[in-house]
Amino acid sequence: MSELKRLAIVTGYEFLKHVRRKRLYVILLLVLISEAAVLVGFPALMNGFPDDAKLMATMLSVGPSMAVIGAIFFSGDAIAGEFESKSGFMLFTNPVKRTTLVLGKYIASCIAVTILIIFGYLVLCISLYAIYQTIPLETAQSFGLSLLYGATIVAFTFLFSSISKGAMGATVITLVVVMVISGIIESVLMLAGKPYWFLISTAGDSITAVYGGIELIMAGFMPLEEMHNFPFELESPDIGRSVLAMVIHLTIGLVTSLIITNRRQLS
Amino acid sequence: MNEPIVIENLTKYYNSFLALDNLSLRIAGNENVGFLGPNGAGKSTTLKILCGLIRATSGKAYIKGFDITTQKEKALSQIGTIIETPEFYGFLTPKETLNYFGKLRGMDGNHLTERIDNVIKLVSLEQWLNVKIEKFSRGMKQRLALAQTLLHDPPILILDEPALGLDPRAVIEFRQIILEAGKDKVVFFASHQLSEVAQICKYVAIIDRGKLLEYDNIAALEQKYDSLENAYLQLTGVPSE
């Protein structure tokens, strides 16, 4: 049997695992809640929806972003779980390359996160059309970037899953690195006027930057002249560089997790 | 070199702890071999190396002539294993689990369905075939592990305490299944239960502190030491009464 066929088998059963687990549906619910919060909260707090559909699209992008971050919760145990729960004693004694097993798990996780992202964008598009009778063309670009960001986050999670003893550890470390550490470094580099496009958190910002970036958001909430009073320059991420940063993170994360899992012993 | 299992000068360190000390063992014929030794003797380490789960610090291990390090997939295709207390994916049913592992081993269609039916019947899990494994007791997981081990009808079974945690009836059933399987397979079987090993195996290998102390026919050991129990106690350093 070819490794490709084995890869398809692993992917199928790993995806079945995701479908059977509650966490996929919990994240789906979180995506819905976060977008509902924007749809209800924005008009309540700002006296109606913004005039610009792109600004509303930016706000509603919180759903797909939540979907991507949620990917960490169902990818954290992909590799670490096999070692922690000892299910690897069953899986790794099959005549299948570990590379095939990890890639199958990776593809299954990417399919799961893609479903979540599609759901988030469906809600976004339906909402925008209901409010503005239009959907900005940039939504397609934002969707593509979300898919890439999702694949990157899953690869990054796999990296920590391959080095962690436990699934919980892998999940927490990935969350802290993506949500906290990368954000702190981004702020420091921004204040210092140094480049920070290569950070994973900055690359993720490109999902909303396609609609007009930070300028669009700030213009929606404050007079233009006040934007120039900030002690540092507010800058939207460059889309091309963000794509490059995501591809680099994805490649490093996935390849490193493959190397580590291949070398890791189940004692 | 097509002997079922060949172990050559295996040494394994866990950091500074020496788990296997130049261990060599050759299972040449179609015989069932009990693998005996006190806790920490190196039994599980040896079996894990044979199953490709850990790497030896030095030395070689072959399954049916396939090097477990450089031809791992070919070597693993020859064996069915139970290592430690088996764990499965709780979200899958036994049928799905056996389908998954069977397909990974190249089985499909009617052949796979028939084999699943056979092995499930063998371990008496027919009523639980479509129930999620998360609801299973430890003993039921052991049964499923044995079913998974036999599913692809491998020529070699490598079993590490397969009856651990089973109730007495299940232990007897397990023994019968392994005995039956052992008629046309090589069973390499680690256990602390000397009586069980004596019933299943014709040969035993006794190790301690990572070294092979004795590998012989049980009858020959009983003649030499009066009983298998005495052989075990004398060889592993505990004086017999």
Side-chain angles (χ1 to χ4, degrees), chain A residues 79-80 83 159-167 169-171 173 264:
Chain A
I79 300 168
F83 291 85
L159 166 61
F160 289 111
S161 189
S162 67
I163 57 176
S164 298
K165 280 192 173 173
T171 305
I173 292 169
R264 194 167 169 179

Side-chain angles (χ1 to χ4, degrees), chain A residues 66-248:
Chain A
M66 176 69 77
V68 172
I69 297 304
I72 296 170
F73 288 97
F74 57 78
S75 302
D77 67 345
I79 300 168
E82 299 289 355
F83 291 85
E84 185 181 26
S85 70
K86 306 280 175 90
S87 52
F89 283 133
M90 286 288 149
L91 186 64
F92 296 146
T93 50
N94 283 294
V96 186
K97 288 180 168 50
R98 284 198 190 177
T99 300
T100 306
L101 295 172
V102 174
L103 283 178
K105 284 169 176 284
Y106 177 74
I107 295 168
S109 291
C110 284
I111 293 171
V113 77
T114 298
I115 289 170
L116 293 171
I117 290 169
I118 288 172
F119 177 73
Y121 275 94
L122 268 178
V123 175
L124 181 147
C125 289
I126 291 167
S127 305
L128 288 178
Y129 196 78
I131 300 165
Y132 300 98
Q133 287 78 52
T134 184
I135 299 165
L137 277 176
E138 289 85 351
T139 304
Q141 202 180 355
S142 173
F143 175 67
L145 287 165
S146 287
L147 293 182
L148 179 58
Y149 189 50
T152 305
I153 291 291
V154 172
F156 215 60
T157 312
F158 268 52
L159 166 61
F160 289 111
S161 189
S162 67
I163 57 176
S164 298
K165 280 192 173 173
M168 184 58 76
T171 305
V172 171
I173 292 169
T174 315
L175 271 174
V176 168
V177 169
V178 174
M179 303 292 286
V180 182
I181 295 175
S182 183
I184 291 171
I185 296 170
E186 183 180 333
S187 302
V188 170
L189 290 174
M190 187 193 289
L191 284 167
K194 304 287 183 194
Y196 53 91
W197 61 268
F198 50 85
L199 293 168
I200 197 163
S201 54
T202 314
D205 292 341
S206 65
I207 293 170
T208 53
V210 293
Y211 291 111
I214 196 79
E215 292 85 359
L216 176 77
I217 299 170
M218 299 310 282
F221 295 102
M222 65 173 66
L224 196 63
E225 58 272 15
E226 282 189 28
M227 283 177 66
H228 302 296
N229 295 335
F230 280 102
F232 52 88
E233 196 177 339
L234 290 169
E235 193 183 327
S236 292
D238 175 78
I239 306 302
R241 281 181 169 181
S242 293
V243 169
L244 178 64
M246 286 192 263
V247 170
I248 291 170

